Amino acid sequence: MSSLRTDDDTWDIASSVGATAVMVAASRAAEPEAAAVFEHMGNYQAVRTHFFDEYFTRAAAAGIRQVVILASGLDSRAYRLDWPAGTVVYEIDQPKVLEYKAATLAEHGVSPVADRREVPIDLRFDWPKALRDKGFDPQAPTAWLAEGLLMYLPADAQDRLFEHVTALSAAGSRLAVETAASQPVDRREEMRARFERIAAQFGLEKALDVAQLMYDDPDRADVADWLGRHGWQTESLSAPDEMRRLDRFVAAAVTTDTDDPDSEAQAFSQFVTAERQP
Ligand code: SAM
Protein backbone atom coordinates (compact mmCIF):
# COMPACT_ATOMS: atom_id res chain seq x y z
CA MET A 1 0.00 0.00 0.00
CA SER A 2 1.11 3.57 -0.65
CA SER A 3 2.82 5.32 2.26
CA LEU A 4 0.22 8.09 1.81
CA ARG A 5 -2.54 5.76 3.04
CA THR A 6 -3.37 3.89 6.28
CA ASP A 7 -6.28 1.54 6.99
CA ASP A 8 -8.17 4.11 9.04
CA ASP A 9 -7.13 7.36 7.35
CA THR A 10 -9.61 10.23 7.00
CA TRP A 11 -9.55 13.36 4.87
CA ASP A 12 -11.21 16.65 4.17
CA ILE A 13 -12.07 18.05 0.75
CA ALA A 14 -8.57 19.49 0.20
CA SER A 15 -6.41 16.51 1.13
CA SER A 16 -5.67 12.92 0.20
CA VAL A 17 -8.56 11.07 -1.49
CA GLY A 18 -10.89 14.02 -0.70
CA ALA A 19 -8.99 16.17 -3.20
CA THR A 20 -9.94 13.77 -6.00
CA ALA A 21 -13.58 14.83 -5.52
CA VAL A 22 -12.53 18.40 -6.31
CA MET A 23 -10.48 17.27 -9.33
CA VAL A 24 -13.30 15.37 -11.01
CA ALA A 25 -15.84 18.09 -10.20
CA ALA A 26 -13.52 20.69 -11.74
CA SER A 27 -13.13 18.59 -14.91
CA ARG A 28 -16.89 18.15 -15.11
CA ALA A 29 -17.41 21.90 -14.72
CA ALA A 30 -14.78 22.73 -17.34
CA GLU A 31 -15.99 20.19 -19.88
CA PRO A 32 -18.80 22.26 -21.46
CA GLU A 33 -16.53 25.32 -21.70
CA ALA A 34 -13.68 23.27 -23.23
CA ALA A 35 -16.01 21.49 -25.63
CA ALA A 36 -17.41 24.83 -26.79
CA VAL A 37 -13.95 26.29 -27.34
CA PHE A 38 -12.72 23.27 -29.32
CA GLU A 39 -15.91 23.20 -31.38
CA HIS A 40 -15.66 26.90 -32.13
CA MET A 41 -12.00 26.63 -33.16
CA GLY A 42 -12.74 23.69 -35.45
CA ASN A 43 -15.72 25.50 -36.93
CA TYR A 44 -13.62 28.58 -37.63
CA GLN A 45 -11.11 26.47 -39.59
CA ALA A 46 -13.91 24.80 -41.53
CA VAL A 47 -15.63 28.10 -42.38
CA ARG A 48 -12.35 29.74 -43.39
CA THR A 49 -11.39 26.79 -45.60
CA HIS A 50 -14.82 26.78 -47.22
CA PHE A 51 -14.69 30.52 -47.88
CA PHE A 52 -11.27 30.41 -49.59
CA ASP A 53 -12.11 27.22 -51.51
CA GLU A 54 -15.13 29.02 -52.96
CA TYR A 55 -12.96 32.02 -53.77
CA PHE A 56 -10.63 29.84 -55.87
CA THR A 57 -13.52 28.04 -57.52
CA ARG A 58 -14.97 31.40 -58.62
CA ALA A 59 -11.57 32.65 -59.82
CA ALA A 60 -11.09 29.48 -61.91
CA ALA A 61 -14.62 29.83 -63.33
CA ALA A 62 -13.73 33.41 -64.33
CA GLY A 63 -10.80 32.06 -66.37
CA ILE A 64 -7.85 32.68 -64.03
CA ARG A 65 -5.22 29.98 -64.46
CA GLN A 66 -2.40 31.36 -62.32
CA VAL A 67 -2.60 30.95 -58.55
CA VAL A 68 -0.20 31.99 -55.79
CA ILE A 69 -0.63 30.71 -52.25
CA LEU A 70 1.46 32.86 -49.91
CA ALA A 71 2.72 30.97 -46.84
CA SER A 72 1.08 27.81 -48.11
CA GLY A 73 2.12 25.62 -45.16
CA LEU A 74 0.15 22.38 -45.34
CA ASP A 75 -2.52 23.89 -47.62
CA SER A 76 -3.54 21.02 -49.90
CA ARG A 77 -5.64 22.94 -52.42
CA ALA A 78 -3.22 22.19 -55.27
CA TYR A 79 -4.05 18.54 -54.61
CA ARG A 80 -7.73 18.60 -53.76
CA LEU A 81 -9.53 21.36 -55.70
CA ASP A 82 -10.94 20.68 -59.12
CA TRP A 83 -8.55 22.92 -61.07
CA PRO A 84 -9.16 23.41 -64.80
CA ALA A 85 -6.44 22.06 -67.11
CA GLY A 86 -3.53 24.45 -67.48
CA THR A 87 -3.76 25.90 -63.95
CA VAL A 88 -0.41 26.59 -62.30
CA VAL A 89 -0.37 26.83 -58.49
CA TYR A 90 2.70 28.47 -56.94
CA GLU A 91 3.24 27.77 -53.27
CA ILE A 92 5.52 30.06 -51.28
CA ASP A 93 6.80 29.04 -47.84
CA GLN A 94 9.97 28.09 -46.02
CA PRO A 95 11.92 25.35 -47.88
CA LYS A 96 11.55 22.71 -45.16
CA VAL A 97 7.80 23.29 -44.82
CA LEU A 98 7.24 22.75 -48.56
CA GLU A 99 9.58 19.78 -48.62
CA TYR A 100 7.73 18.07 -45.76
CA LYS A 101 4.31 18.43 -47.37
CA ALA A 102 5.34 17.26 -50.85
CA ALA A 103 7.32 14.30 -49.46
CA THR A 104 4.52 13.20 -47.11
CA LEU A 105 1.81 13.37 -49.77
CA ALA A 106 4.04 11.61 -52.32
CA GLU A 107 4.68 8.83 -49.78
CA HIS A 108 0.92 8.34 -49.63
CA GLY A 109 0.64 8.28 -53.40
CA VAL A 110 -1.14 11.66 -53.61
CA SER A 111 -0.34 13.86 -56.62
CA PRO A 112 -1.32 17.46 -57.31
CA VAL A 113 -4.25 18.14 -59.63
CA ALA A 114 -2.71 21.38 -60.88
CA ASP A 115 0.82 22.14 -62.06
CA ARG A 116 2.17 22.76 -58.53
CA ARG A 117 5.38 24.76 -58.31
CA GLU A 118 7.25 25.28 -55.07
CA VAL A 119 8.81 28.65 -54.33
CA PRO A 120 10.92 27.91 -51.25
CA ILE A 121 11.73 31.31 -49.78
CA ASP A 122 11.02 33.50 -46.77
CA LEU A 123 8.42 36.15 -47.60
CA ARG A 124 10.64 38.78 -45.99
CA PHE A 125 13.22 38.23 -48.77
CA ASP A 126 13.05 38.82 -52.54
CA TRP A 127 10.21 36.40 -53.19
CA PRO A 128 8.93 38.19 -56.36
CA LYS A 129 12.19 37.28 -58.12
CA ALA A 130 12.00 33.69 -56.85
CA LEU A 131 8.40 33.51 -58.08
CA ARG A 132 9.29 34.83 -61.53
CA ASP A 133 12.20 32.39 -61.73
CA LYS A 134 9.65 29.57 -61.39
CA GLY A 135 7.70 30.87 -64.39
CA PHE A 136 5.19 33.31 -62.85
CA ASP A 137 3.80 35.67 -65.51
CA PRO A 138 2.94 39.16 -64.18
CA GLN A 139 0.99 39.91 -67.38
CA ALA A 140 -1.51 37.14 -66.69
CA PRO A 141 -4.28 37.59 -64.08
CA THR A 142 -3.53 35.84 -60.81
CA ALA A 143 -5.60 34.59 -57.88
CA TRP A 144 -3.61 35.23 -54.69
CA LEU A 145 -4.25 33.91 -51.20
CA ALA A 146 -2.89 35.05 -47.83
CA GLU A 147 -4.53 32.77 -45.26
CA GLY A 148 -3.10 32.31 -41.77
CA LEU A 149 -0.18 34.58 -42.60
CA LEU A 150 -0.59 38.24 -41.70
CA MET A 151 -0.48 37.68 -37.94
CA TYR A 152 3.09 36.34 -38.36
CA LEU A 153 4.28 39.49 -40.13
CA PRO A 154 4.97 42.88 -38.56
CA ALA A 155 2.97 45.83 -39.91
CA ASP A 156 5.68 47.07 -42.31
CA ALA A 157 6.23 43.56 -43.71
CA GLN A 158 2.48 43.32 -44.35
CA ASP A 159 2.60 46.58 -46.33
CA ARG A 160 5.62 45.35 -48.32
CA LEU A 161 3.89 42.06 -49.04
CA PHE A 162 0.87 43.84 -50.53
CA GLU A 163 3.08 46.29 -52.44
CA HIS A 164 4.75 43.30 -54.14
CA VAL A 165 1.42 41.57 -54.77
CA THR A 166 0.04 44.76 -56.30
CA ALA A 167 3.10 45.25 -58.54
CA LEU A 168 2.80 41.65 -59.78
CA SER A 169 -0.96 41.78 -60.40
CA ALA A 170 -2.32 42.32 -63.91
CA ALA A 171 -5.79 43.93 -64.17
CA GLY A 172 -8.45 41.39 -63.23
CA SER A 173 -6.21 39.66 -60.67
CA ARG A 174 -7.88 38.67 -57.43
CA LEU A 175 -6.70 38.53 -53.86
CA ALA A 176 -8.17 36.86 -50.78
CA VAL A 177 -6.89 37.62 -47.31
CA GLU A 178 -7.56 36.50 -43.78
CA THR A 179 -6.75 39.59 -41.74
CA ALA A 180 -4.89 39.54 -38.43
CA ALA A 181 -7.29 40.02 -35.54
CA SER A 182 -6.23 42.37 -32.81
CA GLN A 183 -7.21 42.13 -29.18
CA PRO A 184 -6.58 44.41 -26.22
CA VAL A 185 -3.88 43.15 -23.86
CA ASP A 186 -6.34 42.26 -21.06
CA ARG A 187 -8.50 40.24 -23.48
CA ARG A 188 -5.46 38.37 -24.80
CA GLU A 189 -4.38 37.61 -21.25
CA GLU A 190 -7.88 36.34 -20.45
CA MET A 191 -7.82 34.04 -23.51
CA ARG A 192 -4.33 32.76 -22.68
CA ALA A 193 -5.37 31.99 -19.10
CA ARG A 194 -8.50 30.28 -20.35
CA PHE A 195 -6.56 28.01 -22.73
CA GLU A 196 -4.07 27.20 -20.00
CA ARG A 197 -6.91 26.29 -17.65
CA ILE A 198 -8.51 24.02 -20.25
CA ALA A 199 -5.18 22.42 -21.15
CA ALA A 200 -4.47 21.74 -17.48
CA GLN A 201 -7.93 20.27 -16.89
CA PHE A 202 -7.44 17.84 -19.75
CA GLY A 203 -3.82 17.06 -18.99
CA LEU A 204 -2.74 18.51 -22.33
CA GLU A 205 0.88 19.42 -22.64
CA LYS A 206 1.51 23.06 -23.31
CA ALA A 207 3.25 22.56 -26.65
CA LEU A 208 3.55 26.02 -28.14
CA ASP A 209 2.22 29.40 -27.17
CA VAL A 210 1.24 30.47 -30.69
CA ALA A 211 0.39 33.99 -29.54
CA GLN A 212 4.08 34.51 -28.79
CA LEU A 213 4.84 34.00 -32.52
CA MET A 214 2.37 36.63 -33.66
CA TYR A 215 2.80 40.35 -34.14
CA ASP A 216 -0.12 42.14 -32.50
CA ASP A 217 0.86 45.43 -34.09
CA PRO A 218 -1.44 48.36 -33.28
CA ASP A 219 -0.10 50.23 -36.35
CA ARG A 220 -1.03 47.46 -38.77
CA ALA A 221 -2.88 48.82 -41.81
CA ASP A 222 -6.50 47.87 -42.30
CA VAL A 223 -6.21 45.49 -45.27
CA ALA A 224 -9.36 46.55 -47.17
CA ASP A 225 -8.52 50.20 -46.67
CA TRP A 226 -4.91 49.73 -47.82
CA LEU A 227 -5.92 47.76 -50.92
CA GLY A 228 -8.66 50.27 -51.75
CA ARG A 229 -6.03 53.00 -51.83
CA HIS A 230 -3.73 50.93 -54.08
CA GLY A 231 -5.92 50.09 -57.04
CA TRP A 232 -8.06 47.22 -55.73
CA GLN A 233 -11.81 46.99 -55.38
CA THR A 234 -12.49 45.22 -52.10
CA GLU A 235 -15.16 43.43 -50.14
CA SER A 236 -14.92 42.48 -46.44
CA LEU A 237 -16.80 39.86 -44.55
CA SER A 238 -16.48 39.41 -40.79
CA ALA A 239 -15.54 35.84 -39.85
CA PRO A 240 -18.22 35.65 -37.10
CA ASP A 241 -20.88 36.75 -39.61
CA GLU A 242 -19.80 34.02 -42.03
CA MET A 243 -19.78 31.51 -39.14
CA ARG A 244 -23.31 32.56 -38.17
CA ARG A 245 -24.48 32.33 -41.79
CA LEU A 246 -23.27 28.72 -41.89
CA ASP A 247 -24.65 28.01 -38.41
CA ARG A 248 -21.13 27.39 -37.08
CA PHE A 249 -20.83 30.15 -34.46
CA VAL A 250 -20.57 28.74 -30.91
CA ALA A 251 -21.60 31.67 -28.73
CA ALA A 252 -20.65 29.86 -25.49
CA ALA A 253 -17.01 29.84 -26.61
CA VAL A 254 -16.72 33.54 -27.26
CA THR A 255 -15.49 35.90 -24.58
CA THR A 256 -15.84 39.22 -26.40
CA ASP A 257 -17.68 42.04 -24.68
CA THR A 258 -21.22 41.71 -25.99
CA ASP A 259 -22.02 45.30 -25.00
CA ASP A 260 -19.25 46.60 -27.23
CA PRO A 261 -19.88 46.01 -30.96
CA ASP A 262 -16.23 46.87 -31.78
CA SER A 263 -14.98 44.16 -29.42
CA GLU A 264 -16.13 41.29 -31.65
CA ALA A 265 -15.02 43.00 -34.86
CA GLN A 266 -11.51 43.44 -33.46
CA ALA A 267 -11.21 40.04 -31.86
CA PHE A 268 -11.94 38.15 -35.08
CA SER A 269 -10.48 38.17 -38.55
CA GLN A 270 -12.11 39.55 -41.63
CA PHE A 271 -12.13 37.70 -44.91
CA VAL A 272 -11.18 40.34 -47.48
CA THR A 273 -11.46 39.71 -51.21
CA ALA A 274 -10.28 42.15 -53.85
CA GLU A 275 -10.01 42.60 -57.59
CA ARG A 276 -7.25 44.58 -59.29
CA GLN A 277 -8.69 47.44 -61.29
CA PRO A 278 -7.41 48.32 -64.81
N1 SAM B 1 -1.73 29.11 -45.19
C1 SAM B 1 -1.63 27.81 -44.57
C2 SAM B 1 -2.97 27.38 -44.03
O1 SAM B 1 -3.83 28.23 -43.82
O2 SAM B 1 -3.16 26.17 -43.82
C3 SAM B 1 -0.59 27.79 -43.46
C4 SAM B 1 -0.89 28.67 -42.29
S1 SAM B 1 0.24 28.45 -40.95
C5 SAM B 1 -0.74 29.06 -39.64
C6 SAM B 1 1.41 29.74 -41.17
C7 SAM B 1 2.38 29.48 -42.32
O3 SAM B 1 3.02 30.71 -42.62
C8 SAM B 1 3.47 28.49 -42.00
O4 SAM B 1 3.51 27.50 -43.00
C9 SAM B 1 4.74 29.33 -42.01
O5 SAM B 1 5.87 28.62 -42.46
C10 SAM B 1 4.34 30.45 -42.97
N2 SAM B 1 5.09 31.69 -42.80
C11 SAM B 1 4.99 32.56 -41.78
N3 SAM B 1 5.85 33.58 -41.95
C12 SAM B 1 6.50 33.33 -43.11
C13 SAM B 1 7.53 34.00 -43.83
N4 SAM B 1 8.08 35.12 -43.36
N5 SAM B 1 7.96 33.47 -45.00
C14 SAM B 1 7.42 32.31 -45.47
N6 SAM B 1 6.45 31.63 -44.84
C15 SAM B 1 6.00 32.14 -43.67
Side-chain angles (χ1 to χ4, degrees):
M1 199 202 305
S2 151
S3 60
L4 293 177
R5 302 296 311 274
T6 59
D7 284 344
D8 58 353
D9 53 351
T10 60
W11 44 77
D12 61 17
I13 197 67
S15 60
S16 185
V17 186
T20 67
V22 179
M23 282 162 57
V24 294
S27 297
R28 253 193 320 265
E31 201 279 333
E33 182 195 21
V37 168
F38 288 129
E39 187 188 356
H40 193 75
M41 284 165 59
N43 283 355
Y44 176 73
Q45 299 298 334
V47 167
R48 179 179 96 159
T49 302
H50 176 259
F51 182 86
F52 293 123
D53 281 2
E54 294 273 290
Y55 156 78
F56 277 132
T57 302
R58 281 197 303 275
I64 295 180
R65 297 289 179 268
Q66 183 165 258
V67 169
V68 180
I69 304 182
L70 301 159
S72 53
L74 301 185
D75 183 312
S76 60
R77 291 189 175 93
Y79 296 79
R80 69 176 175 76
L81 293 189
D82 190 15
W83 299 105
T87 305
V88 182
V89 178
Y90 297 91
E91 292 191 4
I92 309 181
D93 208 303
Q94 290 277 345
K96 286 180 184 160
V97 174
L98 292 175
E99 227 174 83
Y100 169 81
K101 177 169 68 183
T104 306
L105 289 175
E107 261 170 40
H108 287 79
V110 184
S111 319
V113 176
D115 175 356
R116 173 180 176 271
R117 300 190 193 170
E118 294 187 354
V119 186
I121 189 167
D122 191 300
L123 285 160
R124 291 166 293 189
F125 300 154
D126 189 2
W127 62 266
K129 177 179 181 317
L131 184 62
R132 278 201 171 98
D133 288 350
K134 292 286 174 146
F136 175 87
D137 176 7
Q139 307 307 322
T142 303
W144 302 86
L145 175 63
E147 178 189 25
L149 166 63
L150 296 189
M151 52 294 280
Y152 303 106
L153 298 177
D156 59 336
Q158 173 178 311
D159 290 353
R160 262 200 315 282
L161 180 87
F162 289 134
E163 281 163 13
H164 287 314
V165 167
T166 301
L168 292 168
S169 290
S173 292
R174 298 180 183 198
L175 168 61
V177 179
E178 178 196 20
T179 67
S182 169
Q183 300 193 335
V185 174
D186 56 343
R187 187 71 65 186
R188 263 185 291 150
E189 183 48 33
E190 188 184 317
M191 286 295 289
R192 194 195 54 71
R194 192 178 195 207
F195 276 112
E196 251 177 31
R197 209 168 59 239
I198 290 170
Q201 297 283 358
F202 283 81
L204 302 176
E205 259 184 52
K206 192 169 170 248
L208 181 65
D209 186 354
V210 176
Q212 299 290 331
L213 300 173
M214 296 179 179
Y215 291 87
D216 192 35
D217 203 326
D219 297 329
R220 189 184 290 282
D222 177 273
V223 174
D225 176 59
W226 191 101
L227 291 171
R229 288 186 284 105
H230 290 80
W232 297 82
Q233 189 177 333
T234 65
E235 270 179 44
S236 291
L237 179 62
S238 97
D241 283 352
E242 182 64 352
M243 292 177 81
R244 288 190 187 98
R245 186 180 76 81
L246 296 172
D247 202 15
R248 292 295 195 111
F249 190 82
V250 184
V254 177
T255 61
T256 50
D257 181 352
T258 44
D259 293 333
D260 175 5
D262 289 341
S263 168
E264 178 181 283
Q266 280 174 1
F268 285 91
S269 306
Q270 303 269 316
F271 301 147
V272 175
T273 48
E275 183 163 332
R276 183 91 167 100
Q277 300 304 290

